[in-house]
Amino acid sequence: MSVDGEVAEPGWEVDPDDDWGVAVIATVGRQLKLRREAVGMRAAEFGEAVGYGEDMVYKVEGGKRIPRQEYLNRADEVLGAGGLISATWEDVKRVRYPKKVRELAKLEGQAVEIGVYVCNSISGLLQTPEHARALIEAAQPPYSPDDVERMVTARMARRAVFEREPAPSIHFVLEETVLRRPVGGRMVQHQQLEHLLEVGRLRHITLQVMPTATDAHPGLDGRIELLKFPDGTAVGRADGMFNGRPTTDPRQLRVIELQYGTIRAQALSPRESSTFIEQLLGES
């Protein structure tokens, strides 16, 4: 469990504003401590057995650190827990994702129709891990390596919405400029474009490209998102409208739908968009 001679850290920091996450990790940490003490192992001894430092053992047991799955599995073996410690991963794995991402993923998991337009990047749902990592690592001030991995993992987990049954209808509009930007280098860009073509072939996914050489449109103010649910309700958000906050107000939703519909009408058709991405792929 070491990287370049240094002991790898067993997890991510706990978000203090995430009440549910704090409670889960505190409970798991308490159980680990009780089981360790019950078998008469000191923290240093236990840390050596599972492959981590004594300080990290105290952080996990004190609810200050989110343990990775391999840490829990190794602890289960060392403490002879018969799978009970390993089973806590089902809750822990949800906590590793930031609270806002969990809430968004929950809404996406319930929606029957999702519409997304992003003006300055590729939607997180469409990003490859390498593309996502390059974007996150470009942030200033920079995130810690652990935070980067946590955010990339969370972003990739959202893609589970593509595999849902019944499948939701998902529409994306992407700006030509973000497709041309070599985020992460040419190889990462090439892989990202290939991924877009692959996703665009899914029967419930519609991918459209907004050409740079087009007139002004309602999306130039920023991101637009629209999610519709089985009961007829919906939630939407537009950076340039209603202070950029999510809304369920029918009158405000009609405005957001009008904006998104106008953007889709001005963008290339799905077939034209696929051809355009293939051309870009040939240039990358």
Side-chain angles (χ1 to χ4, degrees), residues 184-204:
R186 291 297 179 185
M187 182 174 294
V188 171
Q189 180 192 24
H190 192 89
Q191 293 170 342
Q192 178 63 67
L193 293 174
E194 287 182 329
H195 179 65
L196 291 176
L197 288 173
E198 181 181 341
V199 172
R201 296 187 188 103
L202 298 175
R203 59 183 176 80
H204 60 292

Side-chain angles (χ1 to χ4, degrees), residues 2 11 16-18 31 59 64 84 112 128 130 137-138 162 164 167 190-191 224 226 259:
S2 64
D17 296 325
D18 184 357
Q31 290 299 316
K59 284 184 177 180
K64 305 298 183 184
L84 294 178
V112 294
T128 64
E130 295 76 17
E137 288 179 340
F162 294 151
R164 264 181 47 203
H190 192 89
Q191 293 170 342
I224 295 178
L226 189 62
Q259 290 189 334

Side-chain angles (χ1 to χ4, degrees), residues 106-116 161 164 167-171 225-237 247-248 250 253-254 256-258 260-261 264:
K106 182 179 180 181
L107 288 175
E108 291 170 344
Q110 297 170 342
V112 294
E113 184 177 343
I114 301 172
V116 181
V161 70
R164 264 181 47 203
S169 177
I170 310 179
H171 317 277
E225 296 172 294
L226 189 62
L227 286 79
K228 298 182 179 180
F229 305 103
D231 61 0
T233 60
V235 60
R237 183 173 77 85
T247 180
T248 57
L253 285 171
R254 281 196 292 272
I256 294 175
E257 284 193 74
L258 176 61
Y260 189 64
R264 291 194 65 190

Side-chain angles (χ1 to χ4, degrees), residues 173-188:
V173 181
L174 305 95
E175 287 285 348
E176 174 187 343
T177 52
V178 304
L179 299 180
R180 290 188 177 278
R181 184 173 297 124
V183 173
R186 291 297 179 185
M187 182 174 294
V188 171

Side-chain angles (χ1 to χ4, degrees), residues 15 18 95-103 150-151 154:
D15 182 356
D18 184 357
V95 178
R96 62 184 174 156
Y97 305 143
K99 182 179 179 181
K100 289 183 178 179
V101 175
R102 292 203 310 268
E103 292 173 346
R150 185 183 185 193
M151 294 168 75

